[in-house]
Amino acid sequence: MKKLIAISLLAIAARAQEKVDLAVIQRIKQEAFQNSKVMDHLFWLTDVYGPRLTGSPGFVAAANFAVSRLKGYGIDNAATETWGKFGRSWRLAKFSISLQEPEYAVLIGFPLAWSANTNGPLVAEPVLAPLTLTDGLNAKKTEEELQKYFQEQKGKLRGKIVLLEKPKDVHPVTTAPAQRFSDTDLAKEGEAPNPQVMPHFDLEKMSLPEKPEERRAFFDMAPLDLQAKVWAFLYDDITDKVNRFLAQEGAVAVIVPSYNAGAGTVFGEAAGTYKSDQPMAGPRIALTVEHYNRIARLLEKKVPVKIELEVRATSDGATGDGLNIIAEIPGTAKPNEVVMIGGHFDSWIGGTGATDNGTGSAVMIEVMCILKQLHLKMDRTVRMGLWSGEEQGIFGSRAYVKENFGDPASMQLKPAHAKFSGYFNLDNGTGKIRGVYLQGNDAMRPVFEAWLGPFRDLGVTTITIRNTGGTDHQSFDQVGLPGFQFIQDEVEYERMTHHSNMDVYDHAVSADLMQAAAVIAAVVYHAANRPELLPRKELPPPISYKN
């Protein structure tokens, strides 16, 4: 009992030592809530310049706007930085698809990124030739199934539009399309996960555990480089082999159903590789499940079907470079020490990239503007990074960290590593902030408890030791730098907007974004003026694929 009391007293003492300037927080709230420009930032990033596919003219135009806006608020140290050659420059210039027979009907869908042109409108018959992989993460089994499929379809696809998947079941939606965390949900999120060893991954066999929960655990715990290797196998290797086969067989286009059945909403990402030194994928269209199923039923009943299709894409206006947007407000007393905020700037192309991640980008631009407009004194330099290539492998932030702080493969660290305090990321849709993931850094618990305390009445209540993956804070965490992602209400993120044609401005909630801007601005202010750098975990070992 005495030991527990001592621990509790230490925790209380740690919170007490963490100074919080309530007067500054009040000023930040007032600026964020009464003079907000966050929805105007989002309008320009989405309605005007969206989508923002990495390497595309749209990304370049949006990045130039962001730099111009930041400079307009007096943040002179704003610019784009090239981190390397990404791949193809691709922007959709024209698209149409319709059913011509047995009856005319407009079809709802969009070409997936890096689809080839059709060279004008084409009319062709569709054929249902579904490719079924029983285990897409077992390389040997996958290769056997691919070869069987190629043998079965050889000589049957010339001049055809290939429906590449089986029809999907559509069920009535019986749950709310949007949701927010309840108190019970947040309490569960705040619980520490059960101790576990990272599930085994056999790199040679490209094989993951069969249990879904163990697969999810793998992607939460695995190093980014290993995750990238898995996704490269899934999306580059398999898709590339299928695309090459279809091109050799003379198929004129591919249609796939939306990967989620969402009452007319279409979810989709890439047609094939973005790499400019590899063959481009043929035209590949994602259709809403209902329209895809109609075509499949017609074919199964032997009813003649014809589809008219046109895809026109251009590379004009961009070079395919990978770009990041970097801006900073120099510190006064300790300008060589840095606090960073950020989120990914790139998007897929079905919508305009509003909730993934225009919202996070707009909030971070707003945070910089709030700090600048209030003329707040900050000892450390506050730097913002808006990243490209996140959707393809967290490329932009990984390249930035490697260039400036250290290489996770060797753990050879650069001098700036010792001067870095922490990185704060926003990338989970429009939902307001409800807390933060500590990413296993328990020493940050009392710090966040103090910083987030003044926002409890705005719903910021939960601090969890849990890790969360799949976004740019991991690039910093991988080299032992404090990197954090905030807990956010899901709202419609997975159900409706994530990588879909409904990822548009109308699904952003202005009050959520204003709240997020206030929370992050306050966190950044206190991190910039804290006497010490933020506490760190032990340095991780160099990345190894062995388990």
Side-chain angles (χ1 to χ4, degrees):
M1 179 62 74
K2 290 181 179 179
K3 185 176 181 181
L4 288 175
I5 292 172
I7 292 172
S8 298
L9 290 174
L10 284 172
I12 293 169
R15 285 196 296 272
Q17 292 170 4
E18 201 65 42
K19 293 183 179 180
V20 176
D21 192 327
L22 295 177
V24 168
I25 289 178
Q26 182 59 37
R27 291 180 64 199
I28 287 172
K29 287 180 177 179
Q30 184 171 352
E31 183 69 18
F33 300 158
Q34 297 183 14
N35 300 314
S36 177
K37 303 292 191 302
V38 70
M39 294 304 288
D40 189 61
H41 307 327
L42 186 65
F43 161 76
W44 287 94
L45 294 180
T46 58
D47 285 348
V48 179
Y49 295 115
R52 303 172 304 280
L53 186 69
T54 297
S56 74
F59 186 99
V60 173
N64 289 339
F65 159 76
V67 169
S68 175
R69 171 141 296 196
L70 289 160
K71 287 185 174 180
Y73 281 97
I75 302 169
D76 295 327
N77 297 328
T80 57
E81 292 184 1
T82 301
W83 53 260
K85 199 71 176 176
F86 169 72
R88 288 191 167 90
S89 173
W90 189 93
R91 175 171 60 185
L92 186 63
K94 184 177 181 180
F95 169 67
S96 65
I97 187 169
S98 59
L99 194 66
Q100 297 294 310
E101 294 180 10
E103 287 289 335
Y104 176 81
V106 173
L107 300 175
I108 300 174
F110 57 85
L112 301 180
W114 307 297
S115 286
N117 291 335
T118 57
N119 299 316
L122 64 85
V123 177
E125 296 177 351
V127 57
L128 184 60
L131 169 61
T132 303
L133 299 177
T134 57
D135 188 351
L137 283 175
N138 184 307
K140 183 177 180 181
K141 186 181 294 184
T142 297
E143 186 62 31
E144 291 173 354
E145 291 172 339
L146 282 176
Q147 293 306 318
K148 181 180 178 183
Y149 175 82
F150 295 160
Q151 292 172 9
E152 289 174 348
Q153 299 301 331
K154 192 168 183 64
K156 300 178 182 178
L157 306 180
R158 183 161 298 279
K160 305 293 186 181
I161 297 175
V162 178
L163 274 64
L164 198 57
E165 298 182 25
K166 291 180 179 179
K168 291 187 174 183
D169 292 336
V170 177
H171 302 287
V173 178
T174 58
T175 57
Q179 61 183 7
R180 293 186 183 273
F181 280 113
S182 67
D183 290 343
T184 302
D185 295 331
L186 287 170
K188 187 174 182 180
E189 194 72 13
E191 293 177 359
N194 292 327
Q196 62 178 313
V197 177
M198 187 177 79
H200 179 75
F201 179 80
D202 189 325
L203 188 63
E204 292 184 2
K205 295 180 180 178
M206 197 63 69
S207 179
L208 274 175
E210 293 185 3
K211 293 181 180 179
E213 63 271 18
E214 290 188 359
R215 290 194 180 192
R216 285 194 297 271
F218 168 80
F219 284 109
D220 278 343
M221 300 169 70
L224 286 181
D225 286 62
L226 181 52
Q227 292 188 39
K229 209 164 189 74
V230 174
W231 291 121
F233 170 73
L234 280 172
Y235 291 109
D236 293 343
D237 189 35
I238 296 175
T239 304
D240 181 58
K241 288 179 179 178
V242 172
N243 284 338
R244 286 173 186 265
F245 170 77
L246 295 173
Q248 291 167 1
E249 292 298 301
V252 295
V254 172
I255 296 178
V256 294
S258 165
Y259 62 73
N260 281 342
T265 302
V266 186
F267 298 79
E269 298 169 359
T273 183
Y274 57 84
K275 297 175 181 177
S276 53
D277 61 349
Q278 295 182 13
M280 193 169 192
R284 183 180 287 226
I285 315 303
L287 288 185
T288 181
V289 171
E290 296 87 343
H291 288 184
Y292 186 92
N293 286 356
R294 178 186 179 185
I295 298 169
R297 286 193 297 269
L298 289 168
L299 294 174
E300 288 172 347
K301 295 289 188 179
K302 310 299 183 185
V303 177
V305 179
K306 286 188 179 178
I307 292 174
E308 183 176 84
L309 167 67
E310 182 175 12
V311 177
R312 188 194 307 165
T314 178
S315 61
D316 294 343
T319 61
D321 287 338
L323 299 176
N324 292 327
I325 302 157
I326 306 297
E328 66 178 28
I329 301 172
T332 52
K334 305 172 183 178
N336 292 328
E337 295 184 5
V338 175
V339 175
M340 283 197 75
I341 60 173
H344 75 89
F345 196 72
D346 63 313
S347 76
W348 289 111
I349 62 106
T352 56
T355 67
D356 189 25
N357 184 36
T359 47
S361 298
V363 164
M364 293 309 183
I365 292 171
E366 180 75 351
V367 168
M368 297 294 283
C369 294
I370 289 170
L371 297 173
K372 189 68 177 179
Q373 291 292 102
L374 294 179
H375 303 289
L376 296 176
K377 177 183 175 295
M378 293 182 292
D379 290 342
R380 296 183 179 88
T381 294
V382 173
R383 185 178 300 157
M384 180 192 74
L386 300 179
W387 318 110
S388 65
E390 189 269 356
E391 297 291 2
Q392 293 75 48
I394 318 185
F395 293 148
S397 61
R398 291 175 67 193
Y400 183 86
V401 167
K402 184 177 180 180
E403 174 69 21
N404 291 278
F405 303 116
D407 184 352
S410 64
M411 284 307 294
Q412 292 184 352
L413 305 179
K414 301 199 172 182
H417 188 280
K419 299 289 187 181
F420 188 86
S421 188
Y423 172 80
F424 307 95
N425 195 76
L426 195 69
D427 176 23
N428 273 323
T430 190
K432 67 180 180 181
I433 290 174
R434 307 303 303 275
V436 68
Y437 295 98
L438 293 177
Q439 211 69 21
N441 186 350
D442 223 348
M444 278 296 296
R445 186 183 298 274
V447 178
F448 276 119
E449 285 177 346
W451 289 352
L452 299 181
F455 295 93
R456 288 188 66 85
D457 57 352
L458 289 172
V460 189
T461 61
T462 304
I463 299 168
T464 180
I465 196 65
R466 292 175 181 268
N467 293 342
T468 187
T471 192
D472 294 286
H473 68 289
Q474 288 183 288
S475 298
F476 295 83
D477 188 66
Q478 268 204 319
V479 294
L481 296 173
F484 307 99
Q485 164 71 22
F486 292 98
I487 302 169
Q488 295 173 258
D489 282 331
E490 183 174 319
V491 193
E492 304 165 311
Y493 195 53
E494 292 294 338
R495 176 69 65 85
M496 187 174 293
T497 64
H498 185 250
H499 300 179
S500 84
N501 60 335
M502 289 295 104
D503 191 10
V504 293
Y505 177 95
D506 304 82
H507 289 280
V509 180
S510 59
D512 288 3
L513 304 191
M514 288 189 280
Q515 183 254 23
V519 171
I520 297 172
V523 165
V524 168
Y525 170 80
H526 287 96
N529 289 310
R530 192 173 188 268
E532 300 87 21
L533 297 173
L534 295 179
R536 302 181 178 188
K537 300 179 290 187
E538 290 186 11
L539 283 177
I543 286 175
S544 171
Y545 295 136
K546 295 179 181 178
N547 292 326

